[in-house]
Amino acid sequence: MGNCLCKDTPGIYDIETYGRNNHAETQNTIIPEPNISIVSCSDSASSSFKFPTSSHIDKLVLETLGSLDTLVDNDHEPPPAMLKLNAIADKEDGWIQVVSSMVNVIPMNNPLGPSVIILLLDDCPLPSKDSVLRLSHMFQLPQKLGQIQITTTQQRNICVVLGCIAEKLAGPSSIAILSDATLDYLVSNLRKDVEPYVMLYSLIALEKFAQTSENKVTIKKRLMAEKQNPLLELEKWVTETHYVRRQVGFCAQWCLDNLFLMEGRKYSHDSVDVTGINVMLNTKDVSEYLKISPDGLEARCDAYSFESVRCTFQVDSGIWYYETLIITTGVMQIGWATKDSTFLNHVNIHI
């Protein structure tokens, strides 16, 4: 066979070792969906809370989730359940019910769960500012009630929704949505005792809000107001063997390098050791929204679009292979590309 050209010596990309160390912890990150029911304030703190929706909409959301993996290209007709949800979301109250249903019923253990939320929100009519504010206030209700807890799954889904809305409504509406309560909620999720999936999507939501410059300043001030910037601790997870924590570390480091810069902190790409790395992902041959690690060996996409990158090594003849460690769930394509191929990040193909 041969040796891997990317690195001279084995390291964290030793797949057998990585999988063996990660197996037990990965299982711990999969949280089964609890039975969610409507409860009153007099119930115990361990009771779960359900945002207002209907069983019919819940069923349509789950049908859409179940059919998503059958969509093989952009010309494929959307599933009937998705079309019905779009029609329901055309009205203000319907949009809120569809979003509430996604928060309630999309399970943690389905790898396409966040993708369905993003897909449905992107395909639904753009909500009004008032609708989004109503939704934001509704998300804060369980916290205000005190005795009622929302599940970890619901928290993850809320963060996905907030991030998607922040991206769709960048500008004045995004500023209005990022209330003190919303910002406090997202930042409070960056504690190490929080479920890693909730931490991850809270970080991504903060990234999306930071696309609006005023929000970016507000978030940075809020992070600096903490006794210690939580991102500094979380970026240490970048080499974790726990898949989800590693993603949190990647996003925290990326935020510190690109969004919420700190005086006196070196950029990661200035301090990373690239000795022995012969091939890396090409930061000058990449589509717009792809995040690339400082050592050039890892890429991540948190945008709705389908981002792409080529590496820095060209082959013209002979037999070649590469090895890839897939850290995240979700939709991705890995393959070979000529120098003339064009990255079309909004149609999921490369020509």
Side-chain angles (χ1 to χ4, degrees):
M1 294 291 290
N3 295 321
C4 178
L5 186 62
C6 296
K7 300 191 76 173
D8 290 338
T9 57
I12 59 172
Y13 292 89
D14 182 332
I15 295 178
E16 183 179 354
T17 302
Y18 197 100
R20 183 170 61 248
N21 292 340
N22 192 64
H23 178 69
E25 288 192 282
T26 303
Q27 288 184 328
N28 290 337
T29 66
I30 303 301
I31 300 177
E33 181 70 5
N35 293 321
I36 302 173
S37 58
I38 300 176
V39 296
S40 66
C41 296
S42 60
D43 287 334
S44 65
S46 62
S47 300
S48 54
F49 178 85
K50 182 175 180 180
F51 294 99
T53 181
S54 73
S55 58
H56 174 63
I57 296 177
D58 290 350
K59 182 180 178 182
L60 291 175
V61 169
L62 291 175
E63 285 180 7
T64 302
L65 176 61
S67 61
L68 185 65
D69 56 359
T70 65
L71 302 179
V72 295
D73 57 54
N74 287 329
D75 296 327
H76 200 289
E77 188 71 20
M82 185 174 175
L83 295 175
K84 292 177 182 177
L85 287 171
N86 289 344
I88 293 171
D90 196 39
K91 303 292 184 181
E92 183 173 304
D93 288 341
W95 182 84
I96 291 176
Q97 283 201 334
V98 169
V99 175
S100 298
S101 178
M102 290 191 292
V103 169
N104 284 332
V105 304
I106 290 183
M108 183 77 82
N109 58 0
N110 189 309
L112 294 179
S115 298
V116 167
I117 295 175
I118 294 170
L119 181 65
L120 283 172
L121 285 176
D122 189 75
D123 210 47
C124 286
L126 195 67
S128 67
K129 178 180 173 181
D130 288 341
S131 295
V132 175
L133 289 176
R134 280 180 58 193
L135 185 73
S136 179
H137 292 320
M138 188 177 70
F139 283 165
Q140 296 166 25
L141 178 61
Q143 302 171 54
K144 293 176 180 177
L145 293 177
Q147 291 179 302
I148 294 178
Q149 290 184 343
I150 58 176
T151 67
T152 302
T153 300
Q154 288 171 310
Q155 291 186 62
R156 191 280 307 266
N157 292 343
I158 285 174
C159 293
V160 175
V161 168
L162 288 173
C164 189
I165 292 174
E167 189 170 37
K168 285 174 68 71
L169 299 179
S173 294
S174 179
I175 295 171
I177 300 164
L178 190 64
S179 62
D180 289 341
T182 299
L183 182 55
D184 287 344
Y185 172 71
L186 293 174
V187 173
S188 70
N189 285 339
L190 303 183
R191 302 189 316 269
K192 286 189 174 182
D193 61 337
V194 173
E195 157 63 34
Y197 271 121
V198 177
M199 298 172 70
L200 175 63
Y201 286 98
S202 294
L203 259 176
I204 294 171
L206 289 171
E207 288 180 26
K208 304 296 187 184
F209 276 112
Q211 291 178 5
T212 300
S213 57
E214 187 172 328
N215 281 344
K216 182 178 176 180
V217 173
T218 301
I219 295 169
K220 182 178 178 179
K221 287 181 179 178
R222 179 65 178 79
L223 291 171
M224 297 300 291
E226 295 288 297
K227 188 174 182 180
Q228 181 177 25
N229 189 331
L231 300 186
L232 289 175
E233 285 299 309
L234 296 182
E235 75 165 329
K236 297 175 183 177
W237 286 4
V238 73
T239 56
E240 270 270 1
T241 55
H242 183 289
Y243 286 136
V244 187
R245 289 195 189 113
R246 178 174 174 144
Q247 294 177 61
V248 171
F250 182 101
C251 290
Q253 185 180 73
W254 190 89
C255 283
L256 287 169
D257 284 335
N258 295 276
L259 294 176
F260 313 124
L261 281 60
M262 293 183 61
E263 187 176 349
R265 177 188 175 274
K266 281 187 176 182
Y267 287 107
S268 301
H269 56 75
D270 289 336
S271 56
V272 68
D273 182 10
V274 294
T275 304
I277 297 178
N278 304 313
V279 181
M280 60 180 63
L281 301 174
N282 193 344
T283 57
K284 300 185 184 301
D285 191 10
V286 60
S287 55
E288 187 175 4
Y289 297 113
L290 199 68
K291 305 172 188 173
I292 297 179
S293 63
D295 63 4
L297 296 181
E298 191 170 331
R300 178 182 180 89
C301 177
D302 289 307
Y304 171 70
S305 51
F306 205 83
E307 304 301 311
S308 304
V309 62
R310 276 180 283 254
C311 76
T312 57
F313 188 80
Q314 176 179 324
V315 295
D316 300 302
S317 60
I319 299 174
W320 298 85
Y321 78 97
Y322 56 83
E323 296 178 347
T324 303
L325 175 63
I326 298 177
I327 297 171
T328 70
T329 59
V331 181
M332 61 190 79
Q333 295 175 349
I334 304 171
W336 301 90
T338 69
K339 64 179 180 180
D340 296 322
S341 64
T342 302
F343 297 151
L344 303 177
N345 59 349
H346 290 287
V347 293
N348 296 14
I349 58 174
H350 319 294
I351 298 176

